[in-house]
Amino acid sequence: IEEAETDCNDTPETVPIFSHLSRAQRLKLVADVAIGTLCEDEPLPPDTIQHNSTFRAMIEILFTALSVESDTQYDHEDVGEDLLNYDEADQASRKRRWRISK
């Protein structure tokens, strides 16, 4: 909903039906789709082109947000260092166990 309230990444070019709506219309449709898909006791939103395009736009907005987060979260050099350290420690403990068992 926050993305639909602002003008930042809330109007994906791949979903022009959603993108050309007013902010109030986008908020209403996002609320309808979110409540219908996330709340078990609530009915699904109506099967209209506006609701379908809103669902698609929400997926696009989430994908964009995740892409931005993954692009800014790590440097390529940092990825996997914790796994490398864990793997080295695991290898050392395996060698010790192997020596003890002999």
Side-chain angles (χ1 to χ4, degrees):
I1 290 181
E2 289 176 15
E3 292 292 333
E5 288 177 339
T6 65
D7 291 328
C8 179
N9 298 327
D10 71 334
T11 54
E13 293 174 4
T14 57
V15 191
I17 293 171
F18 180 80
S19 299
H20 293 290
L21 296 172
S22 71
R23 182 178 297 164
Q25 291 170 321
R26 291 193 310 262
L27 278 172
K28 170 68 172 116
L29 287 166
V30 167
D32 287 350
V33 171
I35 290 170
T37 54
L38 299 174
C39 299
E40 215 174 284
D41 297 333
E42 296 293 326
L44 289 173
D47 190 18
T48 65
I49 194 165
Q50 291 88 354
H51 287 90
N52 289 330
S53 65
T54 300
F55 182 77
R56 183 170 174 214
M58 289 171 68
I59 299 298
E60 291 288 328
I61 291 167
L62 288 171
F63 180 75
T64 301
L66 289 172
S67 296
V68 167
E69 183 176 336
S70 69
D71 286 347
T72 58
Q73 189 170 10
Y74 300 107
D75 291 333
H76 292 288
E77 296 82 30
D78 296 339
V79 174
E81 282 186 21
D82 56 338
L83 296 176
L84 180 61
N85 293 336
Y86 174 78
D87 191 41
E88 289 172 354
D90 187 48
Q91 291 294 331
S93 69
R94 286 183 188 190
K95 285 180 183 178
R96 275 186 256 124
R97 278 187 266 153
W98 185 75
R99 288 181 192 154
I100 293 172
S101 66
K102 282 186 152 192

